[in-house]
Amino acid sequence: MDWVATLRFAHPWLLWLLPLGGVLIVSVYRRYGSLATHGNELIISEIHSPTRCVPLRMTPLILASTLITHLFGGSAGREGPAVEMGGSLADNIGRLFRVPVEYRPTLMMAGMAAGFGSIFGAPIAGGIFAIEVLSLGKLRSSALIPCLAASLLSNVVCQTWGNYTGVHHMGFYIARPQSLGEASFGYFTVPTMLRTLILGIACGGCARLFVECTLGVARIGARCFRSEWMRPVAASLVLIALTALLGTRSYLGLGEWNPIPGDYSLTTLFQEGGASPWSWWWKVLFTALTIGSGFKGGRVTPLFFMGAALGNALAEIVGLPVDLAAGIGFVAVFAGATNTPLACTLIGVELIGREYLSLFAIACFASWLASGHAGVYVTQRIGRRKHGDGPLGITLAEERERVARKRSEARNNRKRLFW
């Protein structure tokens, strides 16, 4: 990923080949993808109801397609490929050693934890993520120890390899101003709590907007183009036009670093003036167009960018320092979009600092509530409802269909009453 990003910045003309990259990804997945096309959704579904083996081809396919997406400038993340590779390898290793079927879910969860924890350098968060991402409001605690063990060991291997290759995880720093009460328990003061709560609610709205935009792009693409390969081509042309219109490459790729002077990246978002007021929206749009049209890649690193950019934009409004607001947004939008507030709180602690634990927790759970019953992983099940009434145990995709039916019935009833 690091090599591909460096190559793309060295050769800006690669962006013009983004439509070709989309056609290549769609063609390969149509020919060889089979069940692997469903990615993380397949792994989560198999953990809930293990009936089919996760194909081993998922690992090379998602790795190659993600590198293609990033090489040509698609806006996507890296946690999706890591989790898919971890789940796929774990399930196939289990088959190789004839692990009993009742242990398959735990093994796949451990693989997911290993991929997630090592890709970000946050092993504790990785272990919690794997047991939290399956169901809203419920943790599969029986798999906690295997997931933590796999994530910790995977992170050690990743860091050891990084020491030899020179590729390391990115760290973030937030200053500690006395005005927020440095001596208090992680800035746990009432005014700061309230400001953090407001920012967390805004982050939940941003997360919901991203989910709706991604689904909307996929829906419009399916409606307008019968040929699957035309969808990434059309989205690529829009991305190229937007990049030219905005005059910046800040919203392409991971967004983690950017060597172009004046452009934005995660390293600048924690600084005053390190983002425009609408940087968060442009990253939402670029990522929704990329993922929704058929390109492959994760969503978490773009979500980090969206959250940090939103925190940067709202810092003055809510009355928080820019770096602190960016750090809170960094984890809170991720929490709302993936429905994993506990894991997101811990990833903030591991990547930014434990003194902000209380603020991360408030923002992540506020974002989780504000985002509603929606998320980037549509096979997540509703173990406990955030609010309102409805059936439990259904997936987010089924919940979306149920709500759409209710709204349609309500509209029809109103029309009937009117006439």
Side-chain angles (χ1 to χ4, degrees), residues 386-408:
K386 300 179 186 181
H387 42 69
D389 298 322
L392 300 178
I394 62 174
T395 66
L396 295 184
E398 292 168 341
E399 169 68 7
R400 190 177 186 84
E401 292 174 2
R402 187 187 73 86
V403 172
R405 282 197 305 270
K406 285 186 65 175
R407 289 175 178 170
S408 178

Side-chain angles (χ1 to χ4, degrees), residues 83-137:
V83 170
E84 286 186 39
M85 289 190 290
S88 170
L89 289 171
D91 196 30
N92 283 275
I93 288 171
R95 278 205 306 167
L96 180 65
F97 289 96
R98 299 181 180 179
V99 173
V101 67
E102 59 266 28
Y103 297 119
R104 276 190 64 214
T106 299
L107 197 60
M108 282 189 284
M109 291 167 67
M112 291 173 64
F116 188 94
S118 60
I119 201 70
F120 292 117
I124 306 299
I128 299 299
F129 175 84
I131 66 172
E132 188 180 22
V133 73
L134 304 176
S135 301
L136 273 68

